[in-house]
Amino acid sequence: MQSIDDLLAIMARLRNRDGGCPWDIEQTFETIAPYTIEEAYEVADAIDRKDYAHLRDELGDLLLQVVFHARMAEEGGHFAFADVVDSICDKMVRRHPHVFGDARFDSAQAQTANWEALKADERAASGDEDTSALAGVSRGMPEWQRAFKLQQKAARVGFDWPDVAPVFDKLHEEIDEVRAEFAAGAGTERLADEIGDVLFVCVNLARHAKVDVSQALRHANAKFERRFRRMEAFAADDGTRLAALDLEAQDAYWVRAKGEER
């Protein structure tokens, strides 16, 4: 059974300018970052599919990303993998005083409030002077996730609708505004602004429904892909191609594909 030390040694050899891998050697934080994000999504996909053998492999790929970044940081004299481990261990102990200390919380809500207070203290200690309730929402995350985090933080100080009904009202309002912009022949900039409002409210709707936006969209994508591929199969069985058919004929295949799933 190999250990994390073996993986660290493998990465060090790959990055070694004397006999290492040319591709690995030329990589930087910036070039590797997209792969890190991609691997995180691959982990989520394996979880969605309950493919645990694949999940094991994808977690390994994600761990490799951490090791890759840590190796580049060590080469630059910034920190090493051991420092990454120390940092996260310290943070987990510090942020769970009810587990590793004597703190007691009456509810999960009180624990969450304490978690946010601890994070604010950490930001202040690092020199971050942003004291907004929205502080700490990374600009590097996917925008749908950032929308969720911003709404969640605003809700913690009471800026939130009391239930889902007004969210539906707001969604209808924003859709009507998009429709009006289309009717008026608005340009891309205006449409982007209004469609952005619709998407923001959709995230809010998902938040009130306690639905993970990314997971919901992954399921919708998978459903569309599954049905579209069935449409292509139906067309092939009929001796034609989907692209050769008009929209009415294509839609008939779509209805048929949906009917198979019921």
Side-chain angles (χ1 to χ4, degrees):
M1 178 68 71
Q2 300 190 74
S3 69
I4 188 65
D5 289 333
D6 295 309
L7 181 56
L8 293 171
I10 289 170
M11 178 51 65
R13 183 166 180 181
L14 289 172
R15 289 280 296 179
N16 191 330
R17 295 190 176 278
D18 182 15
C21 171
W23 186 89
D24 289 279
I25 292 169
E26 71 179 18
Q27 299 311 306
T28 65
F29 293 116
E30 290 76 16
T31 62
I32 289 298
Y35 295 102
T36 308
I37 295 169
E38 180 181 340
E39 295 300 348
Y41 277 110
E42 292 290 345
V43 167
D45 177 62
I47 292 171
D48 266 358
R49 293 183 288 103
K50 294 181 171 56
D51 185 344
Y52 299 112
H54 194 198
L55 176 60
R56 176 201 61 205
D57 292 342
E58 294 300 342
L59 287 171
D61 291 343
L62 186 57
L63 176 59
L64 176 65
Q65 296 299 306
V66 177
V67 168
F68 208 138
H69 285 288
R71 179 63 198 178
M72 291 187 291
E74 184 173 1
E75 292 167 0
H78 306 301
F79 57 82
F81 181 80
D83 299 309
V84 175
V85 175
D86 283 344
S87 178
I88 191 59
C89 287
D90 289 345
K91 183 184 294 183
M92 288 299 97
V93 171
R94 184 171 63 251
R95 291 187 180 178
H96 293 83
H98 53 298
V99 176
F100 300 102
D102 299 326
R104 295 291 179 267
F105 301 114
D106 296 330
S107 65
Q109 184 177 5
Q111 180 187 337
T112 299
N114 184 74
W115 176 277
E116 291 298 326
L118 287 170
K119 288 172 66 176
D121 289 344
E122 290 168 6
R123 288 194 298 272
S126 68
D128 188 344
E129 298 179 354
D130 188 354
T131 59
S132 169
L134 303 180
V137 180
S138 171
R139 295 184 181 276
M141 63 178 62
E143 293 300 333
W144 68 261
Q145 188 175 14
R146 192 159 189 272
F148 182 93
K149 293 285 188 180
L150 290 169
Q151 294 169 8
Q152 189 179 54
K153 282 181 172 286
R156 286 175 182 155
V157 297
F159 189 69
D160 195 13
W161 280 300
D163 55 56
V164 75
V167 184
F168 280 115
D169 293 339
K170 187 63 175 176
L171 181 57
H172 286 300
E173 175 190 326
E174 297 296 350
I175 291 174
D176 287 343
E177 290 182 8
V178 173
R179 194 189 305 274
E181 293 291 351
F182 267 107
T188 302
E189 187 175 341
R190 282 296 309 145
L191 289 172
D193 187 60
E194 295 297 344
I195 291 173
D197 290 343
V198 171
L199 295 174
F200 192 83
V201 177
C202 285
V203 172
N204 216 336
L205 180 63
R207 185 175 61 85
H208 276 266
K210 294 180 172 57
V211 167
D212 182 285
V213 180
S214 181
Q215 185 179 57
L217 189 54
R218 282 199 304 274
H219 287 175
N221 287 340
K223 181 166 57 179
F224 177 84
E225 181 178 8
R226 183 174 65 247
R227 291 174 179 176
F228 190 87
R229 288 180 181 276
R230 284 300 291 154
M231 291 167 62
E232 291 176 318
F234 292 149
D237 289 344
D238 290 340
T240 187
R241 294 179 302 107
L242 201 60
L245 303 174
D246 60 22
L247 181 58
E248 183 178 0
Q250 290 180 347
D251 194 54
Y253 282 142
W254 177 263
V255 172
R256 183 177 166 189
K258 285 178 63 178
E260 280 190 346
E261 296 182 0
R262 293 197 179 99

